[in-house]
Amino acid sequence: MTPLRIFTLLLMLLPMAMQARDRQSFNAEWRFHKGEAETAEKADFDDSEWREVTLPHDWAIEGPFDVKYNARCGGLPFHGTGWYRKSFTVPASAKDQKVTVEFDGAMYNAHVWLNGHFLGSRPFGYMGFEFDMTPYLNFGEEENVISVRLTPEDLSSRWYPGAGIYRNTWIEIKDESHIDHWGTFVSTPSVSKESAEVNIETKIVHDGDETREATLKSTLLDPSGKSVGEATTPLNLLPGETRVVTQPIYVSSPQLWGMKSPVLYTAVSEIISGDTAVDRYETPFGIRTLEFIPGEGMRLNGEKVRLNGVCMHHDLGALGAAVNYRATERQMEIMMEMGVNSIRTSHNPPSPELLQICDRLGLLVQVEAFDCWQMAKVPNGYNKFFDEWHERDLRDMIRRDRNHPSVIMWSIGNEILEQGTKDGWKMARHLHRICKDEDPTRLTSAGFNYYPASVKNGLAAEVDIPGFNYKPLAYSTVSKEHPDWNILGSETSSCTSSRGVYHLPIEKYEKHESLQVTSYDLIGPPWAYPPDIEFRFLGENPNVLGEYIWTGFDYLGEPTPHGGKDNSTNGYWNEDWPSRSSYFGAVDLCGFPKDRFFLYQSHWTDVKDNPMVHLLPHWNWEDRAGQEIPVYVYTNAEEAELFLNGKSLGRKVKGKDKPKQIVAFNNWEEGNDWETPYRLRWDVPFEAGELKVIAYQDGKAIAEDSHKTAGAPAKLELTADRPEITADGKDLSFVTVRVLDKDGNFCPNATNQIDFKLEGPASIAAVDNGNAASLESFQAPTRKAFSGMALVVIRGEDGKSGEIKLTATSEGLEPLTIPLVSK
Ligand code: GAL
C-alpha cells in the first residue's frame, strides 16, 4: 500500500475530534517528464510512461554537464520545461473541510492545476506558496490529479538555480475555521530576567456559511513541553470572515534564546468550538532581545556580538538544489566549526529547513529577498516579474520567517542596480515599508556595492542597516558622516582558491591554465581582497556590525575568475569551460575545508575555547628539492615555531614579526612576501620529510599541525561523518575518502579513480571531489580523487533498516570496506 493510501486510511479511522488539521508530506509518488507535454494539465492525461520521482527533486543536477547550459549556471541542464504529476485520493470524511497543497518552492515559474482546473502560478522559485484545492477535489475513492508545469529560462540566473519541485510539498486538511497560512506572528516586546511579554497575533479564517461561536486558545510550551502560560479569546466568527486576534502572554523567568543556548518555546494555537479543538497550529519561537546601537554595534540578550558571517547560496553541492535536512545541517555544522555565527541567505529566501536548523543551532540569519528589482542583471531575471510579484513575495517571505529567533534582519536586495539611479531610493523606501508592515520588530538592510552612489542617491538612508559589499575602506568615512547609522560588511573578501592546490612560485594571476586557483589565499577578482583586509578594517571600526564573507561553501556556477566580467551575456562565462563552479568558498563543494577555513577559524575562534594551528602548503615538492617553499601558518595563538625534520626554523609572533602594510589584490605586487598580522610566513628550502608547526600561548604549546612527504598512493581511508543513519529515505552519511601511501601518509596530489560499491538498504546519493573544473557525473558510483580526496554520500532506504557495506576500490590500491547502519 502506498504511504498516501495508508494516510488516507488512517484519516478515515480517526474520530472527527482528532482531525484538528492534518499536515502530511506530499512528496511521494510523483511522475516527472522533462520537456513540453501537451494537455498534461488534464486529469485523464496518460503519464504512465513518465518517470517516478520522490520530491524534493532537482532535475538539473542529474546532468550531464554541457557548456550550452552555461558555466555561469553550473553547466547543468536547468532550463526548459518540466512537468510533474501526482494522483491521490482524499477521504470522504474531509468533504466539509479545507484541503490545501503547499509547495515550499518550485524552480521556476510554477503553474499548477488540479483535475484540469488551474489553481494558480508562482514565478519566483525561492518563495513557497499554498493553493486551496477544495473547490475541485474529488473525495472518497475517486482519484485526483495535480499537475505542475515549470519553465525555468536560460539567462535567468547569476548562479546555479536548480530546477524542479526542489523543496518539500505538503497536503493539509483543516476545518472551515482555521488559522491562516503562516497565520501567526509571535514577538517578545519586553524581556527581562524575571518575565517576558510574548505577544501572539493570530490570523483566523472562517470559511463557513454560518456564524460560529468559538474560542482561540493560545498556550505557550517551554522547551520541555510544559505549559508556561495561556490566553483565551472568545470569537464570534462571521461567514467568510478573516480576523486577527492579539494575545499578550507573560512568561516568568524566561529561558533566553542565544547562540550558546538556542532555547525554543512553542506557541500552540487552537480554535475551540464546543469542546473540540477544530484547528491546532504550532509556532516554534524564541525569547531574546536584540539591540542595534549606532557607534557600538549589536547586542543579543545584552551582550555585544560581532557578526562572523558567511554568504551562502542555496545549493547543496553534488546533491544539487533539492532540499535535504541533513545536508543543510552539515553545512551549518561545518560553518560553525570555522567560527561562523551568522548566515546571509544570498540572494533569496532560504528553505524553511535552513531556518529551523539555525534556530536549533543558535546561528543568526540575515534573510535576503532579492538579487534585483526592476533593473535587469541577466536578460530573463526576476525583474520580469518584479512589478507584479515583489510585494507578494516579500510579504510572504516575512510572514513565513518572522517567528524564527535566528532571523535578525531582512535584506531587501543585493547589489541592486537602482543604487545608481536618482530615484532608486523610492523603491528602497517602498520595500522597507513592506518589511515594517509585516514585522515592525526587525530592522531592514541591503547589500550595496556602489559607494558612494548608494549613499548619495539616498538608498542607504532608506534601510535601517546599510550593508556595504566590498567597501572596508569606506567604513570610517560612512561612520563619521552618519554617526546614527548601524553599518555592516554585507559581502566581503571574495578570495578564491582550490582546495589543496598550490602554484609556485607565488605569482599574481587571475586565471590559471590549470583552471585551478592557488590556495595561498592571495587570489581574487579585481573588486575583491584577501580576508586580512576586512579583518583590519573591522578591527579599526568596532561599530561595524561585522561581515558576511563571500562565501562559506563553494557553490555551483559563477566560476570566477574563469569567465565572468561581462554580465550581459552568459556565453562569456564559457571561455574557460569546463570550469563550472565557484572557487570562493572557505570550504569546497564537498564541504572539505580549504586553507582559508583555518584563516577565518584563527580569527573568529578564541584560543581558550578552540586552540588551533594550521600549516600550508603540503610537503610534497620532490621536483623542487632545495628550492624555497613559502610556508604559511594560521593560528589563534600568539606565537608559533616551525620545524623541518625535527630542526627548529625559529619562532614567530603573530602581528609583531615583520607585519606588512596590507594591500588589496589589485595592488599586490609580485615579490611581496605577504606577511600580515593575521598569518605567519617562513620560506623553507624543500627537503623531504616532516614539516611541523607548534603554536604557543602564554609560552605553552597548545596545538600542532604537520605534513609528511608522502610516497606513492597505496591505500584508501574512508571516514563516515555518521556511521548510523535513519532509514527514512532522506538521512545521509557523508563519507570522506583520502588516498594514503603505504605508511598511512596522506597523498596530497593523488588523482586516483575510485569506484564505490554498496551492499544493503542504501544508495549512493552523490559523489564529488571538490574540483570546480570536473565534468564527471555527481551521480555515478565512481570519482577521481582531487588533491587526494573525494566524497561519497550514502542515503538509506525509506523503511528498510539493516547493515550497509561501502567498498571503495581503485586500481593499484588496496580496496577498503567500511560498515554503516541504517536504523
Ligand atoms: C558580488 C555578488 C555576489 C557574487 C560576488 C562574487 O558582487 O553580490 O553574488 O557575484 O560578487 O565576488
Side-chain angles (χ1 to χ4, degrees), residues 61 148 266 312 332 341 365 377 489 497 507 546 571 615 690-691 723 786:
I61 198 65
V148 181
T266 307
M312 292 284 277
M332 297 302 116
N341 60 17
V365 187
K377 288 185 178 173
S497 56
E507 54 183 356
L615 178 66
E690 186 190 42
L691 185 71
F786 175 66

Side-chain angles (χ1 to χ4, degrees), residues 334-335 338 551-554 584-589 591-594 597:
I334 292 170
M335 291 293 93
M338 184 164 101
T551 47
F553 265 62
D554 272 342
F584 288 118
V587 305
D588 71 10
L589 207 59
F592 299 150
K594 301 181 188 172
F597 172 98

Side-chain angles (χ1 to χ4, degrees), residues 158 347 414-415 469-470 491 494 525 527 550 555 558 584:
R158 297 194 299 116
H347 305 295
N414 172 61
E415 301 192 348
N469 290 7
Y470 310 102
E491 205 173 298
S494 264
W527 61 90
W550 191 264
Y555 50 95
E558 206 181 43
F584 288 118

